[in-house]
Amino acid sequence: MNLFDVYPRYKINIVKSEGIFLWDDQNRKYLDLYGGHGVISIGHAHPAYLLAIQKQIEKIGFYSNSVEMPIQQDLATKLGEQSGYNDYNLFLCNSGAEANENALKLASFHNGKKKIIAFKNSFHGRTAAAVHVTDDQKLSAPLNKEQFEVEFLELNQSEALIKALNDPNIAAVIFEGIQGVGGLDMPSEEYLQLLAKLCKEKNIVLIADEIQSGYGRSGHFFAHQSAGIKADIISIAKGMGNGFPIGGLLINPEIESKHGMLGTTFGGNHLACAAAISVLNTLQNEDLIQHAKKIGQQLSDELSKLPKIKKLKGKGLMLGIEFDFPAKSIREELLFEYGIFTGSSANANLLRILPPLTIQFDDLKPFLFALNEILTK
Ligand SMILES: Cc1ncc(COP(=O)(O)O)c(C=O)c1O
């Protein structure tokens, strides 16, 4: 049997990892400024993470949600404390798309409505509802196209928002704290404040997709928190498990649960919870959210001294470096000549930087050196 070929891949076989570094099967070392697509939050093979998984699997790795699992409550308590969403409830699942699928469904269960407002350039995943609120027609199969009504708005256009939210049929608005796949654009603080106010007034469920921008990456626990607002549902995945597949929803206590309303076999299993708890412990013990803010600022300051950069986008350690020309050759040169992984986005002119939050400023110097060399050639 061969693999179903849906991923364009670099011809690199990673066999080892530690902290911010990767090694391939030729023993070549790489600096990881991509974090496996923003997943590696506390660094590859972090000792606390390894120990937590090892200790848990020796006891029990998996049992289904048919029994009590106190480890889920431990995770919920820690997540509530650290995120500032203490009074919210937690639903656990396995991936980002699944989190958004359930978020949209839950909003519709809650207010009985079914139109969704999403944003241009959004990416929310590839399951049926999630792909339908994703602004990329290529990702939708014919069966995805005839679903509920979705209206895509331009980010940060207040008048259009006010007009769109006058429609009485809207179940939810879904936005990314910082757009990831779309290219690092983000809602302004004033726009988020307006959005939160209107949603509250109109009983529209506000869904913050923090799958990529959450878990400390922006310098806040969730990127939308810089605006001082609260969403009704926050979807999480990626950095939550540092590579162990886990996702979830933080849910406003006003949204009532009912047995059978949502569910999944693997969601919140013992091993995934152990991994996720070790991530939260490490974020706290190593003060990684403040660290991400500081290092992100230092990196931005240094990048702003380099030539040919049109714009720096994003926040903390979720940064986009935009040029006036396609960034593909820069990305490939960084990888093949200098051994540095970076990411791409729907914006072909942009390099996406998503390193583990444990990275130190000195670790970034080889990248700054390489980028300067490439740009001044
Ligand atoms: C903002 C956002 N939402 C949802 C998803 C989908 O997550 P997953 O690939 O885990 O289904 C992604 C993945 O890149 C994402 O960046």
Side-chain angles (χ1 to χ4, degrees):
M1 189 187 284
N2 288 320
L3 298 174
F4 195 60
D5 188 14
V6 290
Y7 300 109
R9 298 178 195 263
Y10 292 122
K11 288 204 175 322
I12 296 173
N13 176 13
I14 301 295
V15 294
K16 198 177 93 175
S17 65
E18 193 183 316
I20 53 164
F21 297 111
L22 304 163
W23 285 262
D24 70 12
D25 55 0
Q26 312 297 309
N27 210 25
R28 182 170 188 202
K29 187 176 177 184
Y30 298 87
L31 174 62
D32 186 9
L33 300 189
Y34 175 56
H37 207 63
V39 166
I40 304 301
S41 46
I42 60 167
H44 295 278
H46 191 290
Y49 179 73
L50 298 183
L51 189 67
I53 291 177
Q54 190 185 341
K55 274 172 66 182
Q56 185 59 48
I57 201 159
E58 282 168 4
K59 290 189 275 182
I60 178 160
F62 174 82
Y63 205 73
S64 78
N65 284 300
S66 60
V67 294
E68 287 195 347
M69 290 167 62
I71 195 168
Q72 293 184 346
Q73 185 56 54
D74 292 349
L75 172 57
T77 304
K78 276 189 196 302
L79 180 54
E81 281 167 10
Q82 288 186 38
S83 67
Y85 275 99
N86 241 321
D87 56 333
Y88 277 43
N89 297 310
L90 178 65
F91 173 73
L92 290 165
C93 58
N94 309 285
S95 70
E98 192 187 356
N100 284 333
E101 195 76 15
N102 281 298
L104 293 162
K105 204 167 152 183
L106 192 55
S108 180
F109 270 133
H110 176 65
N111 58 22
K113 299 180 178 176
K114 55 184 188 186
K115 177 173 172 181
I116 303 292
I117 300 290
F119 291 93
K120 300 255 169 82
N121 269 329
S122 59
F123 182 86
H124 297 293
R126 293 162 187 272
T127 54
V131 83
H132 199 50
V133 298
T134 286
D135 185 27
D136 185 347
Q137 283 303 302
K138 296 188 298 299
L139 305 184
S140 284
L143 74 79
N144 297 128
K145 294 189 179 173
E146 302 297 323
Q147 299 189 61
F148 51 90
E149 192 185 345
V150 186
E151 186 176 346
F152 289 98
L153 301 181
E154 290 284 350
L155 262 182
N156 298 326
Q157 302 287 320
S158 302
E159 303 233 320
L161 179 72
I162 294 167
K163 189 160 162 246
L165 295 193
N166 274 335
D167 186 333
N169 300 312
I170 298 168
V173 177
I174 183 165
F175 71 97
E176 288 162 84
I178 302 172
Q179 290 191 332
V181 174
L184 282 292
D185 290 302
M186 56 190 176
S188 71
E189 292 180 3
E190 301 73 46
Y191 187 75
L192 282 182
Q193 286 154 4
L194 175 68
L195 176 61
K197 178 172 158 283
L198 292 174
C199 285
K200 201 169 182 61
E201 278 169 18
K202 295 170 190 284
N203 193 26
I204 294 170
V205 176
L206 182 59
I207 304 173
D209 178 343
E210 293 280 358
I211 286 162
Q212 192 165 144
S213 54
Y215 261 76
R217 183 161 290 285
S218 72
H220 285 86
F221 196 94
F222 293 125
H224 68 268
Q225 290 173 315
S226 66
I229 62 148
K230 279 192 138 182
D232 298 307
I233 302 181
I234 301 102
S235 52
I236 51 179
K238 291 197 190 286
M240 182 181 187
N242 198 47
F244 199 101
I246 182 168
L249 298 179
L250 282 67
I251 302 163
N252 186 323
E254 286 173 20
I255 300 178
E256 282 179 22
S257 60
K258 226 170 43 193
H259 286 175
M261 160 186 232
L262 308 177
T264 151
T265 299
F266 293 117
N269 66 75
H270 296 82
L271 206 48
C273 287
I277 289 172
S278 78
V279 168
L280 287 174
N281 288 342
T282 306
L283 285 179
Q284 194 161 49
N285 295 342
E286 299 184 15
D287 202 13
L288 290 181
I289 301 181
Q290 276 312 312
H291 181 75
K293 194 176 198 161
K294 184 179 104 193
I295 301 291
Q297 190 55 54
Q298 286 177 324
L299 176 58
S300 297
D301 291 347
E302 292 304 312
L303 285 169
S304 62
K305 296 177 192 159
L306 298 188
K308 297 191 191 160
I309 294 176
K310 180 179 158 201
K311 197 167 177 191
L312 291 173
K313 293 179 162 180
K315 260 194 201 165
L317 289 174
M318 181 166 178
L319 293 177
I321 307 171
E322 191 176 32
F323 304 96
D324 269 330
F325 46 85
K328 186 164 186 262
S329 62
I330 301 179
R331 208 170 62 255
E332 290 182 351
E333 208 170 328
L334 283 168
L335 181 58
F336 295 112
E337 302 301 322
Y338 297 91
I340 300 172
F341 271 96
T342 56
S344 63
S345 76
N347 176 351
N349 293 357
L350 187 124
L351 276 185
R352 198 156 29 141
I353 308 296
L354 300 164
L357 307 186
T358 47
I359 198 159
Q360 301 295 329
F361 182 64
D362 277 353
D363 301 323
L364 288 161
K365 288 185 177 161
F367 166 62
L368 290 164
F369 173 82
L371 192 57
N372 186 43
E373 277 211 332
I374 295 169
L375 294 174
T376 50
K377 255 204 303 221

